[in-house]
Amino acid sequence: MEQYGSRPPNDGPRRGTPPSAPLPAQGRRPAGGEHGPGGVRRGPGGVRRPAPGGGPAARPVREARPGAAGGPPPDPRLPNPRLTGLGTGLFCLAAMFLLGWLDQLLFGASPTVYGVLFLPVCALTALWARDGDVLTAPVVVPIAFAVGLLPVAEGGGGLLGRLMGLVTGLATQAGWLYAGTLAAGVIVLVRRVRWVRRRRRRS
């Protein structure tokens, strides 16, 4: 009588069956396909190349040019301070007083030299005042002329003699005073008109 025993499981291939051929190896593609993230194409060796068709990486970056929106950039070699009303007055008074003393020491208190030096100070005072305080320049200029004339004016001893010499100097040098004040007034008027036009354009 035949006895059936337990047969071991057959995990291997059956006899007479040819072994299956191995599958071809498939290359892995990057996460972004042929083009990497951001539209960048990767060449051999992982070198990034700009994607054809004008992707984000192929757009040229424009460099910001200084002063393109507000006109040409200011020249750093030229002084361009902006003085307040108080600063304008102090600058003009100090400049004319120092020039008066220099005129007395170097040129023997020459009124002509003092008048010639007064003109550029008037122009600088009107140019260096800021836009909001530019109207103070024509007011400060005559006062500075009188203060700087103290060392130049000829007079006797004492305070009364100095004051009499100042009055005489103002009367004889009125032409320089009017010329400097007129120059400052013209510059202030031009700057004021330009400032008003800029404010109208902005509004």
Side-chain angles (χ1 to χ4, degrees):
M1 188 174 183
E2 296 181 0
Q3 296 181 358
Y4 297 94
S6 59
R7 300 178 66 180
N10 188 8
D11 295 336
R14 295 182 180 182
R15 294 179 181 180
T17 305
S20 58
L23 298 176
Q26 298 180 357
R28 296 182 179 179
R29 295 183 178 181
E34 184 179 1
H35 304 285
V40 179
R41 186 175 181 180
R42 296 181 179 273
V47 180
R48 295 186 177 183
R49 294 182 300 177
R59 297 176 182 176
V61 180
R62 296 181 179 180
E63 297 182 358
R65 292 177 297 177
D75 193 352
R77 295 174 297 178
L78 299 178
N80 191 23
R82 285 292 176 261
L83 302 177
T84 61
L86 180 60
T88 302
L90 292 177
F91 163 75
C92 192
L93 290 172
M96 293 310 303
F97 188 74
L98 291 177
L99 290 177
W101 280 107
L102 290 177
D103 184 21
Q104 183 185 17
L105 294 176
L106 300 178
F107 301 99
S110 173
T112 305
V113 175
Y114 179 78
V116 172
L117 295 176
F118 175 65
L119 298 179
V121 173
C122 294
L124 292 178
T125 303
L127 290 174
W128 287 357
R130 65 181 184 180
D131 295 334
D133 299 327
V134 72
L135 296 178
T136 59
V139 180
V140 173
V141 162
I143 302 174
F145 183 84
V147 171
L149 198 60
L150 286 173
V152 181
E154 297 179 359
L159 181 59
L160 184 59
R162 183 66 64 177
L163 290 177
M164 292 299 297
L166 177 61
V167 173
T168 305
L170 289 174
T172 56
Q173 304 300 321
W176 296 109
L177 176 60
Y178 293 152
T181 307
L182 181 61
V186 171
I187 296 175
V188 166
L189 182 61
V190 173
R191 288 191 56 191
R192 189 68 178 181
V193 171
R194 295 180 60 184
W195 179 66
V196 171
R197 288 181 179 177
R198 286 197 302 265
R199 291 196 61 180
R200 288 180 179 177
R201 290 175 184 176
R202 293 175 183 175
S203 59

